[in-house]
Amino acid sequence: MKKIKLALLIILSVIILAGCGKSAKEEFFDYTKKNVTENSSNDISMTIKDIKLTADMKDSPEANVMVTQLKDIKVTGSMQHDVSEKATNTKLNIEALGQKIPLEFISKNDDMYFSLDIFRGISKIASQFNSELPSDEKTLSAFDGKYLKLSDADTLEIDSKSATNLTKEFQKEVSNYFTSLDEERFTKENDVVTFKLTKKDVVVLAEKFNTLSKSKKEYKEFVIPDFDEMIKNLPKALDAKFNLNTKTNDLAVALTSTFDKKDEGFIDSIEVLYNYKPNDKQVAIKLPAKKEIVNVKEIEAILAPYLSDELDEELDEELDEELDGDFNMADDEFKELVKELEKEDFSSFSAAESDELLEEYEPLLTEKQYKTIEKIFKNK
């Protein structure tokens, strides 16, 4: 799924394009322009229509169970845009693994807030996989009704102003690109305008994004690392079919990704459906109150007991890896160790206890260092 992130980003950019020519092509972009320049409210949904397994995995019980679980994932919600206030509110409900997870983003100007109500659902799903995420009521309730301000400097390691400017410039690039497309790529039957986006379009727009990111110093943090490798790792085929009903303004998008056999995955292709349908639920978009906003440090404080346990485990794993490798104590460290050991009285230690101590030190020592320590224990 990581391989289609860029494709999804570019496909979503199509939905917010500025307008261009007439005919079926113009009708399609008139819709996208309207959604940017006027207040709008849409019901949105996402479902996985189909997943095809590779030939060698079709009879795998494990792969088929995973496909069933993936196909059960559903996303429903709404997206509201207030042009005069420069604000948006996106509310989603994700159904996955028997849980319903709420997801909410609220933005105004350059500020964005992320609802932490999602934590309960994630914790319940994580518990199915024996995760150590907190599940006690006291911890979970601390996140209820709270929002994380994503535009805070300690949350995102990017310049939000530069990101906004880059987004605006990239939207112009996207608009110019689609304006240049042949009319034949836009067809209309009855009230439905159809347009198809291909992998070639995705690659061209990705190149434009990366070129734009390299054009100014303020954008350099957005340059895509290993760009050629990323393009190489895109799905073998990528097709997005847009169907816009010009009478109802319903927009349906079918995204199909087909993967190369050399990727060694168990999925041959996947088709995802997105639907956008206007509604009459336009209401004032409210930003979170000050008391509802938390920062990263406050979240870390709530999760401290769990994070410290995980940190201890990570340190233990790192130590184990070092001990399993060619790690040896440095000479200066060894000299300090010898000084400390020579101060100790091991005369009361039995041979078994001395051997046990030697076993603990052995993985850290060279053969020469080990013999020095052995003499200290034996002589005492």
Side-chain angles (χ1 to χ4, degrees):
M1 298 299 286
K2 286 169 61 179
K3 294 183 179 181
I4 61 173
K5 277 186 177 179
L6 176 69
L8 287 173
L9 173 66
I10 291 171
I11 289 166
L12 290 174
S13 294
V14 178
I15 300 172
I16 57 173
L17 294 176
C20 29
K22 277 289 175 188
S23 72
K25 180 178 176 181
E26 187 214 44
E27 289 190 78
F28 182 85
F29 289 112
D30 273 353
Y31 164 85
T32 59
K33 182 178 179 180
K34 183 178 179 180
N35 272 276
V36 174
T37 59
E38 299 179 14
N39 290 349
S40 62
S41 183
N42 294 281
D43 290 323
I44 56 182
S45 66
M46 185 218 80
T47 55
I48 298 177
K49 182 180 179 181
D50 190 31
I51 298 177
K52 288 185 171 62
L53 292 172
T54 55
D56 58 327
M57 295 298 286
K58 284 183 178 179
D59 297 324
S60 167
E62 294 84 359
N64 279 283
V65 167
M66 188 171 290
V67 166
T68 300
Q69 291 177 332
L70 288 172
K71 290 178 74 172
D72 284 342
I73 295 175
K74 296 178 182 178
V75 179
T76 56
S78 63
M79 182 183 295
Q80 188 174 318
H81 183 204
D82 188 325
V83 175
S84 60
E85 294 293 326
K86 296 182 179 179
T88 60
N89 187 3
T90 302
K91 292 182 178 181
L92 302 174
N93 282 299
I94 304 169
E95 296 181 39
L97 298 176
Q99 301 297 327
K100 290 186 177 181
I101 305 173
L103 185 65
E104 182 181 12
F105 288 95
I106 303 174
S107 67
K108 184 172 182 179
N109 296 317
D110 294 334
D111 291 332
M112 179 177 283
Y113 305 87
F114 175 64
S115 172
L116 297 179
D117 287 343
I118 190 175
F119 199 84
R120 279 185 179 271
I122 291 177
S123 178
K124 288 180 180 178
I125 289 179
S127 66
Q128 297 179 29
F129 298 94
N130 299 316
S131 170
E132 295 299 322
L133 278 178
S135 57
D136 59 286
E137 184 59 29
K138 182 180 178 181
T139 302
L140 294 178
S141 61
F143 292 101
D144 291 343
K146 302 295 184 182
Y147 291 82
L148 176 64
K149 190 174 181 180
L150 294 178
S151 46
D152 281 345
D154 61 350
T155 304
L156 295 180
E157 296 179 358
I158 62 172
D159 185 328
S160 58
K161 184 178 180 180
S162 296
T164 300
N165 292 338
L166 175 60
T167 299
K168 289 178 180 178
E169 288 199 48
F170 181 57
Q171 285 179 7
K172 290 179 182 177
E173 291 282 348
V174 175
S175 177
N176 291 336
Y177 176 72
F178 282 96
T179 300
S180 69
L181 295 179
D182 292 337
E183 293 281 348
E184 288 75 15
R185 293 187 62 177
F186 299 82
T187 60
K188 184 175 181 181
E189 185 174 347
N190 297 322
D191 295 317
V192 179
V193 173
T194 298
F195 163 64
K196 291 182 180 180
L197 187 75
T198 67
K199 179 180 176 179
K200 181 180 178 181
D201 296 314
V202 171
V203 172
V204 169
L205 291 172
E207 289 171 343
K208 289 182 178 293
F209 178 86
N210 216 36
T211 300
L212 186 61
S213 299
K214 293 177 180 179
S215 67
K216 297 180 182 178
K217 287 184 177 180
E218 64 177 296
Y219 297 160
K220 68 177 183 179
E221 61 185 311
F222 303 102
V223 174
I224 302 172
D226 302 320
F227 180 80
D228 292 338
E229 187 67 21
M230 184 209 67
I231 295 298
K232 182 181 177 182
N233 287 329
L234 284 172
K236 181 175 67 174
L238 182 64
D239 299 286
K241 184 178 180 180
F242 296 79
N243 286 322
L244 171 66
N245 188 311
T246 56
K247 193 171 184 178
T248 63
N249 278 339
D250 291 0
L251 176 66
V253 184
L255 173 63
T256 304
S257 302
T258 304
F259 301 94
D260 201 310
K261 292 180 180 179
K262 66 181 181 182
D263 291 336
E264 297 181 356
F266 66 93
I267 295 177
D268 178 69
S269 66
I270 181 169
E271 183 178 2
V272 183
L273 302 181
Y274 301 86
N275 286 284
Y276 304 81
K277 185 175 183 178
N279 62 43
D280 56 0
K281 301 174 185 176
Q282 188 80 30
V283 294
I285 298 174
K286 290 178 60 178
L287 298 180
K290 189 174 181 180
K291 64 180 180 180
E292 296 173 329
I293 300 172
V294 297
N295 57 41
V296 172
K297 290 182 180 178
E298 290 174 293
I299 293 175
E300 288 176 346
I302 296 171
L303 298 176
Y306 301 91
L307 294 175
S308 61
D309 289 343
E310 289 180 6
L311 182 59
D312 288 342
E313 290 176 7
E314 288 176 8
L315 291 174
D316 287 342
E317 288 177 3
E318 288 177 8
L319 180 58
D320 288 342
E321 288 175 3
E322 287 180 341
L323 295 181
D324 288 340
D326 297 326
F327 175 84
N328 290 125
M329 189 176 292
D331 288 339
D332 55 343
E333 292 177 323
F334 179 69
K335 288 176 182 177
E336 289 297 321
L337 174 63
V338 169
K339 287 181 183 179
E340 292 299 321
L341 291 177
E342 287 178 337
K343 295 177 185 177
E344 301 294 332
D345 181 8
F346 297 105
S347 59
S348 62
F349 275 51
S350 67
E353 289 173 327
S354 294
D355 289 341
E356 188 176 341
L357 277 173
L358 282 168
E359 285 180 10
E360 291 183 11
Y361 281 108
E362 186 176 13
L364 303 172
L365 307 173
T366 64
E367 185 177 350
K368 184 177 179 181
Q369 289 172 339
Y370 178 79
K371 287 181 179 179
T372 302
I373 298 296
E374 185 178 31
K375 286 180 182 179
I376 293 175
F377 287 151
K378 299 298 182 183
N379 292 337
K380 293 288 185 179

